[in-house]
Amino acid sequence: MHRSEVSTATEAATMPAPAAHSIAIVGSGPAGCYVAHFLRKRWPTAEIVIFDRLGLPYGLVRYGVAPDHTGTKAVARQFDRLFEQGGVRFVGGTEIGRHLTVDQLREAFDVVVLATGLSADRPLGIPGATGRPVPVVTTSTGTQPAGATVHGAALSGAALSGVYGSGRLTRLINGHPDENAEGVVFGSRVAIVGQGNVAIDLLRLLLMSPDELRGHGVADEVVNAIAAGPVRHIDIVGRSSLSRAKFDPAMISELAKIPNVRFLADHGELHDADAEPRDLAKRDVLLRLLATASHDADRTDANPGSDRTVRFHFGWVPERLEGAGSVDTLSLRGSVGSDSSLKLAVDSVLTAIGFFEAADAPLRRQSHESPDSDLEIGRLGPGLYCVGWLRRGPQGTIPANRTDAKMVADVIAAAADAGEFFPGKPGFAGLNLLPSDH
């Protein structure tokens, strides 16, 4: 061994180990876990603690992804390694904003990252629906509201029963501990408002047989609620034209595998004069679905051998829900330069029109913003950051949250390099939690 090597080894043995950063992440969904992953790679000796109000981790992956999309849910195995390989600690059953405050976390940790997402269903905001006004939330871009803006205050008339948000339903289907099927009645005629991937998830799940649902781990009480109708007809409604609908063409292709369903649409709603070439895939895949599932001359009418129907409606805006106690009619108006109207007979209405930050959420991002905040990079203040849907609004899938988490992790690392904060806070030990608290 060369002398220089001995000297270096001796010095290393006698020098104190450099202090490591302590990092608290609030929320164990994809954004929170990905931030932990990237900071773990950057600072292998850092103490990283992920807090969640639920007893099990992974948030959206566990409770928001359709149970038959096992490939998407498999990302949880990657997150498992965060905890199995050490260095990242999960503290479940601890709600920040209720059991602990953000200020307490900031006193104990060098860095705090808020990754709680947005889980409240955006209401329809029309007479007969919930009618609860939605607060405006400024996003990182300033152009995409994190929630809906329902103009005006409370809506007249009482909210009708039989209206369910997609967030509640996906949590229910995935066994979320806060949800149960008591009082959930779908009936035989269901309208789904929204034409994004979440709406198509709901459509697909409603068309599954009870055995298929149970095979994907759906609880009996939920299966029974779906089968009780039974669901015979589904209208799926959106204000956009077909080419601008939000669904992924692959989601429509999956529908073609479901037996005994007639897929219908009006010819006049299937062709857009201003469709962009990149949007034609949506039109083409839907036309193939209609052609495959129907066998009559115009290819948009019924297959006599089928016993369930799904009708797509493009370019329609929900205007009013009607009924006596529970919804029985969904009234629509044409969305673009049209005075057309349409009434759909329904037993229930499922909304899949996005999410927002509930006014009563224990941890609200706005409460931690200041003139020093820069939402474009996820910075709320010195050592305090936000990521994922809480930062940029309810847009993007799990891969988009990975990209977002990488960006925010890089911003945190750059701030540390610039001396904005230093290691030295006590971390989890500084919270003085009793064993029963975590």
Side-chain angles (χ1 to χ4, degrees), residues 351-432:
T351 63
I353 53 176
F355 303 91
F356 75 109
E357 187 178 55
D360 59 352
L363 193 161
R364 302 200 66 203
R365 192 194 71 194
Q366 283 183 306
S367 302
H368 302 284
E369 293 178 29
S370 71
D372 194 33
S373 298
D374 185 351
L375 295 177
E376 192 67 32
I377 59 173
R379 184 181 186 277
L380 292 169
L384 180 64
Y385 298 84
C386 60
V387 67
W389 281 12
L390 191 70
R391 182 187 79 82
R392 69 183 194 282
Q395 299 166 8
T397 58
I398 291 173
N401 278 319
R402 186 182 191 280
T403 301
D404 199 61
K406 176 67 165 59
M407 184 275 290
V408 173
D410 288 344
V411 167
I412 293 171
D417 292 343
E420 188 168 313
F421 52 82
F422 300 94
K425 292 186 178 179
F428 186 74
L431 294 176
N432 295 317

Side-chain angles (χ1 to χ4, degrees), residues 160-397:
L160 299 172
S161 63
V163 183
Y164 309 102
S166 62
R168 179 188 175 191
L169 292 177
T170 53
R171 289 192 296 272
L172 177 65
I173 290 169
N174 282 291
H176 193 288
D178 290 350
E179 306 290 352
N180 67 73
E182 183 178 356
V184 174
V185 178
F186 294 109
S188 62
R189 294 186 64 95
V190 178
I192 299 175
V193 178
Q195 289 176 327
N197 288 342
V198 174
I200 305 300
D201 276 340
L202 292 178
L203 172 62
R204 191 179 64 257
L205 292 167
L206 288 178
L207 293 172
M208 285 186 185
S209 70
D211 286 344
E212 287 177 296
L213 290 169
R214 291 190 182 95
H216 291 300
V218 180
D220 280 344
E221 62 169 357
V222 182
V223 175
N224 293 339
I226 295 173
V231 177
R232 291 297 184 193
H233 179 82
I234 301 173
D235 290 289
I236 181 162
V237 179
R239 69 173 61 215
S240 299
S241 63
L242 168 56
S243 64
R244 294 181 180 174
K246 301 297 185 184
F247 61 74
D248 188 317
M251 300 285 286
I252 299 299
S253 296
E254 284 187 71
L255 299 177
K257 303 173 185 175
I258 303 174
N260 301 323
V261 181
R262 293 175 294 168
F263 291 96
L264 311 170
D266 291 336
H267 270 302
E269 299 174 7
L270 298 180
H271 300 278
D272 301 333
D274 59 346
E276 297 287 339
R278 65 176 181 274
D279 295 327
L280 294 180
K282 296 177 186 175
R283 188 193 66 187
D284 293 345
V285 73
L286 187 63
L287 289 175
R288 284 197 296 274
L289 176 70
L290 297 173
T292 301
S294 303
H295 300 284
D296 60 356
D298 67 5
R299 294 190 171 190
T300 61
D301 284 336
N303 176 354
S306 300
D307 60 1
R308 296 176 297 173
T309 55
V310 173
R311 180 174 286 276
F312 289 87
H313 301 269
F314 298 98
W316 292 96
V317 180
E319 193 168 50
R320 178 180 297 274
L321 301 181
E322 300 171 27
S326 62
V327 62
D328 62 28
T329 304
L330 169 59
S331 295
L332 307 166
R333 60 177 169 78
S335 62
V336 180
S338 169
D339 58 359
S340 302
S341 63
L342 177 65
K343 287 182 179 289
L344 302 176
V346 297
D347 297 316
S348 61
V349 175
L350 319 186
T351 63
I353 53 176
F355 303 91
F356 75 109
E357 187 178 55
D360 59 352
L363 193 161
R364 302 200 66 203
R365 192 194 71 194
Q366 283 183 306
S367 302
H368 302 284
E369 293 178 29
S370 71
D372 194 33
S373 298
D374 185 351
L375 295 177
E376 192 67 32
I377 59 173
R379 184 181 186 277
L380 292 169
L384 180 64
Y385 298 84
C386 60
V387 67
W389 281 12
L390 191 70
R391 182 187 79 82
R392 69 183 194 282
Q395 299 166 8
T397 58

